[in-house]
Amino acid sequence: MLKLSEYKSGNHHKYLLNLHFVWCPKRRKKVLVGDIARRAKEIFHTLANEKGWDILALEIAPDHIHLFIGVTPTDAPHLVIKAFKGRSSFYLRKEFPSLLKLPSLWSRSYFVSSAGNVSSEVIKKYIEDPHHG
């Protein structure tokens, strides 16, 4: 698992892009329990490995999910969440027919926040300091 202080490298760049996502099942139903939660975790880890993303933290509560993930500079947040919601909905609804009672597995909304290894306030102070460079 990637440490928060480690930077990744591309051909011509170094980066640390960590995103915190939170999303809920449709109607905030408490369906993410037992085998469904375990299978969701497997699906998320498989997808992250395929995409080259690093899951830094993952919590699956009965009525919401917290995902803290390291992505690359070419990964738009809306496409990252779309990948997780889309793939998990497809497989979970196929494997657990009880989820078909919901019109869709996930609500359309989500929360996302970016995070690195320093706070926004530290960056702001650095940029505003006339002696930094």
Side-chain angles (χ1 to χ4, degrees), residues 86-133:
R87 174 141 343 153
S88 61
S89 178
F90 177 80
Y91 285 111
L92 291 173
R93 287 167 64 90
K94 186 175 170 185
E95 296 170 23
F96 300 95
S98 64
L99 296 176
L100 294 173
K101 290 183 234 170
L102 295 172
S104 62
L105 179 55
W106 305 117
S107 71
R108 290 175 44 190
S109 59
Y110 62 92
F111 165 85
V112 63
S113 175
S114 60
N117 66 344
V118 295
S119 71
S120 298
E121 192 59 36
V122 169
I123 293 169
K124 186 175 179 227
K125 283 181 183 174
Y126 174 78
I127 291 170
E128 292 172 348
D129 180 2
H131 301 99
H132 76 264

